Every structure is written in C-alpha cells, then in structure tokens.
Amino acid sequence: MSLQNYIAAGLGPRIVTGIILLAVVFSAWTAGGLPLFLLLLVISCLAQWECYSLFLPHGEVPARLLGIVLGAGLVTLCQFHPEYPASLGLTAAFIVLAIHSLAGWTQEHSLERFRRAAILLGGIVYIPLLLAPALHYSPGEQLFIVLVPALSDIAAYAAGVQFGKHRIWPAVSPKKSTEGAVAGLLAAILAALVAGYLLRGADFSFHEWALLGLFMGIMAQLGDFFESALKRAAHIKDSGKILPGHGGVLDRIDSILFASAAFALARPFLG
C-alpha cells in the first residue's frame, strides 16, 4: 500500500469523524441550555453502555439498561433540580440496585448478583456523576475542562512520537512514554494559566492556576490509564466502534472525565 493510500485509509475516517464531532459539540456548547443537556445525556448513556459491555455479557442487556436509566436520571436531576446534590441521585441509584440484587436472591448466585450491581453502580459513578457538574459551569469553564485534557493529550502524543524512549506504564499502555507524559503536563499547566487569565482577569492567581493545570493534567492522564486498564482487563482494544477512526465514546472522554472531576474538586478554592 502506498503512503498516500495508507494515510487515506488510516486517517481519513478519523479526520471526518473528528470534524463532525467538533461541529456537534461546538453547536451544543454555543446553544447551551437544553441542547447541551441532551448532548451530554447522550454521551453519558453511550459511554455507560460501552463501559457495561466490557464486563457484562450480552445476556445482561436488561441490567445494562437499568444502569443507564439510573445514570440518565442522575444527569437529569442535576440539570433540572440543581438545588439537590448529585449524591442524592447516586443514593437513589444505590437503593434501586440493592433492591435489584435482592430480587430473586439465592445462595448459589449471590456473588454474581452483587458483582453485577457493583459494576452498574461503578458505571454511574464513573461517567454521569463526573460529567453532570459541568452542566452548571459557565461556558468558559465548560470549554476549559475539555481543552485542558485535549491539549495535554496532543502535546503528549507529539512529544512521545518525537522524543519518547522510556515507557511510563507498559503493562497498561505500552505506547505512552515518560517524555510524552511530561509534555502533556506542561501543556496542561500552560492551558490553565491562559484560561485563568482570560476567566479571572485582575483576580488571576498564577500559582493557583498553575497548580490547577498540573492537577488536571495528572488526572487526565490517570483517566486515560484507567480506561486502558479496563479494556485490558476485558481483552479488547477499543471500548466501542461507534466513532470510525476513534473507537468508542468512552475512548474519547476518558481523560475528560477525570479532568472534570479534578476541576470540580478545585473549583471552590478558585473563588
């Protein structure tokens, strides 16, 4: 295969899918309100489905749908009733799954039923609980929690290709290098400093936003490693095939999930 054909075959679908995704996300972000909520809800449901598919067999479709419905309920609660904490939705999900585990309980299948409930609850904590707080951020903050992990990932990839010689965690992700990880952290810090200046103006604190960028950069990379570990445990390469050239939805948001959690934890301290 010629170089031109290889590029067309390998990068063509990835580029086209990326452009479509960017257009959809940008349109929903600029519209805000209901369109943004619906987009985040769809992303959350699809990512949950992929997450559950890693560990629950095809015969467990009703259980997967139960977890997705509970996750969608949590996101909806955060959108339309922000006065209630997200933990309330998580508490309701836990109670429903506990009842679900007890229904038809037998000694012979007890561990399997509790294992299934733990997987369903874990998927709710992992995806909708980490995504939902962004619904009530300012547009600048929403853009920030997407761009920081994205820029960090781009810098890590570029530095890894050019200078990567030392594998940082080959058992989980054999292609990622220490050099790439360092470049990714530097990019996250720089992105946070620029964002802090634009968002806060005269109230901008250099060291606070530098630490925030470092924290979010570390968490973004941990999110990538975490999802890679999940896929390795399930012996698969991609979480799904819904995005040609990109894999699954969870493959695209793994670092954003952890970076969003880092921002949510640090946000009260930024004023």
Side-chain angles (χ1 to χ4, degrees):
M1 182 183 292
S2 67
L3 179 60
Q4 183 178 1
N5 290 336
Y6 174 80
I7 293 175
L11 295 182
R14 186 178 182 90
I15 293 174
V16 172
T17 302
I19 292 173
I20 295 174
L21 282 176
L22 184 61
V24 171
V25 172
F26 182 77
S27 299
W29 172 66
T30 53
L34 186 61
L36 182 61
F37 159 69
L38 292 176
L39 176 63
L40 190 142
L41 184 63
V42 169
I43 290 174
S44 178
C45 291
L46 291 174
Q48 270 189 274
W49 177 266
E50 293 174 355
C51 181
Y52 293 150
S53 299
L54 297 177
F55 303 106
L56 295 177
H58 294 294
E60 297 282 3
V61 169
R64 297 187 207 175
L65 293 177
L66 174 61
I68 291 172
V69 169
L70 293 174
L74 189 151
V75 175
T76 304
L77 176 70
C78 291
Q79 169 68 16
F80 295 104
H81 295 283
E83 68 274 15
Y84 295 116
S87 58
L88 184 63
L90 187 62
T91 301
F94 173 79
I95 293 173
V96 171
L97 291 175
I99 295 173
H100 175 69
S101 299
L102 291 173
W105 186 92
T106 62
Q107 181 68 41
E108 292 77 14
H109 301 96
S110 59
L111 288 179
E112 183 58 33
R113 296 188 71 84
F114 288 132
R115 172 184 173 274
R116 180 175 60 190
I119 291 172
L120 295 177
L121 186 62
I124 295 171
V125 174
Y126 178 31
I127 299 166
L129 185 65
L130 298 187
L131 284 177
L135 287 169
H136 299 290
Y137 294 162
S138 70
E141 290 173 317
Q142 292 167 348
L143 184 63
F144 175 63
I145 62 175
V146 172
L147 284 182
V148 168
L151 294 174
S152 175
D153 184 60
I154 292 172
Y157 176 79
V161 170
Q162 292 295 323
F163 311 107
K165 295 181 179 179
H166 305 88
R167 301 302 159 198
I168 186 171
W169 203 343
V172 174
S173 187
K175 294 184 178 181
K176 289 183 173 58
S177 65
T178 302
E179 293 82 359
V182 171
L185 292 180
L186 293 176
I189 293 172
L190 180 60
L193 290 173
V194 173
Y197 178 77
L198 294 176
L199 289 172
R200 299 304 305 275
D203 295 329
F204 167 67
S205 172
F206 181 90
H207 73 277
E208 285 183 356
W209 285 83
L211 288 175
L212 175 63
L214 178 62
F215 184 34
M216 291 181 66
I218 292 173
M219 291 296 287
Q221 294 189 29
L222 283 176
D224 199 349
F225 281 124
F226 181 74
E227 200 240 354
S228 294
L230 291 179
K231 292 187 294 185
R232 283 193 169 273
H235 306 288
I236 65 169
K237 182 178 182 294
D238 296 319
S239 65
K241 299 179 180 179
I242 194 171
L243 302 175
H246 291 262
V249 173
L250 191 57
D251 292 323
R252 293 300 91 209
I253 67 170
D254 52 3
S255 58
I256 294 175
L257 289 171
F258 275 47
S260 176
F263 181 71
L265 291 171
R267 191 170 181 259
F269 302 98
L270 297 175

